[in-house]
Amino acid sequence: MPRIGEEHAARRREAGHGADFLEALARGLAVLQAFGPERRQMTLAEAARAVDLPRATVRRALHTLVVLGHVESDGRLFRLTPQVLRLAAGYLGASGVSTVLQPLCERLAAEAGGPCSAAVLDGAEIVFVAYGRPRLMLNVSTMVGSRLPAFCTALGRVLLAHLPEAACAAALRPFLVTPRTETDPARLRELVAAARTEGHALVEQEAELGFRSLAVPLPRQDGRVVAALNIGMPMEGETAEAFRARWLPVLRREAEAAAPLLL
């Protein structure tokens, strides 16, 4: 998987620096975004490797983040604090997408008996902006704010299908997530094209073994796709076609009902 520093460098090359570009801010954000499920806490050296920046630069960034309250340290290890949730709260509170889709996902999860989520595209990844789960599910963690590669998820393929061809090609950065992950670029282009033609995507075991996901685009009334909606289930006792036949009409119904509310 690409390192955070590599992704930020790619974005800078694409956009160009410009006189108003603040390199220090970009590096600080890169350090902040290096934390995640696989890097819950890091030493200075580990953070520097994660973002591919000099240790002195990362030390200053971490010190600033500690002073601002976004990061805490025991003197050796650094970890995020709940303060960072304020950054996400600003987006979620201002985004009509999240406001509309959270109750929708909760309702669908109760109906389906499995998790339902909505996501937006950010570069080569999807970001979950709403998530619902049945009350009886033991896993009480939330997916909101979590990221997954776009190329191997149903949500991601639906969103990639509505990008211009060049942008879609740039976002297809395949790597092995599970033994079932499709990594052939030509085949992935075919799958994304199929999602565009058919108006949905079905993915089995490519992002998580034993799990199947079905997703549809969420367009606004003007036709612009702003997010995607999915239902996921363990692969137990039902064929892919039966799963599609049962839940695709439901997802399309909800997408149509949500369109007038998406800004």
Side-chain angles (χ1 to χ4, degrees), residues 53-258:
L53 289 171
R55 287 177 56 141
T57 299
V58 175
R59 182 186 298 108
R60 290 193 295 271
L62 285 170
H63 174 74
T64 303
L65 291 168
V66 168
V67 171
L68 294 175
H70 296 306
V71 172
E72 62 184 10
S73 175
D74 60 7
R76 178 177 177 272
L77 292 170
F78 296 86
R79 63 188 67 85
L80 297 182
T81 73
Q83 178 86 1
V84 299
L85 294 176
R86 291 190 177 186
L87 303 176
Y91 170 79
L92 294 174
S95 171
V97 171
S98 298
T99 303
V100 170
L101 297 181
Q102 184 57 40
L104 186 160
C105 287
E106 292 173 359
R107 184 177 68 252
L108 264 184
E111 178 181 347
C116 174
S117 56
V120 297
L121 191 64
D122 183 23
E125 297 178 319
I126 57 169
V127 183
F128 291 90
V129 295
Y131 178 74
R133 66 179 185 279
R135 291 186 177 183
L136 295 180
M137 284 185 67
L138 295 178
N139 184 2
V140 296
S141 64
T142 180
M143 290 288 289
V144 174
S146 298
R147 292 170 173 266
L148 286 175
F151 78 94
C152 63
T153 59
L155 286 161
R157 287 179 186 169
V158 163
L159 291 168
L160 290 171
H162 290 84
L163 287 181
E165 186 175 345
C168 179
L172 285 176
R173 306 174 187 173
F175 58 93
L176 208 61
V177 179
T178 77
R180 300 291 300 273
T181 306
E182 179 61 68
T183 58
D184 178 68
R187 177 57 180 155
L188 284 170
R189 287 193 294 270
E190 292 176 359
L191 292 169
V192 170
R196 183 183 306 112
T197 301
E198 298 168 6
H200 71 276
L202 177 66
V203 171
E204 293 186 328
Q205 304 196 87
E206 293 192 47
E208 181 180 350
L209 288 176
F211 198 78
R212 168 189 293 143
S213 180
L214 178 69
V216 299
L218 285 166
R220 303 184 308 196
Q221 282 192 302
D222 62 4
R224 178 173 176 263
V225 172
V226 295
L229 178 70
N230 96 316
I231 289 177
M233 294 280 188
M235 295 173 57
E236 298 174 353
E238 186 176 38
T239 66
E241 287 309 312
F243 178 75
R244 192 197 321 260
R246 183 155 62 112
W247 294 114
L248 185 55
V250 174
L251 288 171
R252 285 177 168 165
R253 177 198 72 202
E254 295 293 342
E256 183 176 355

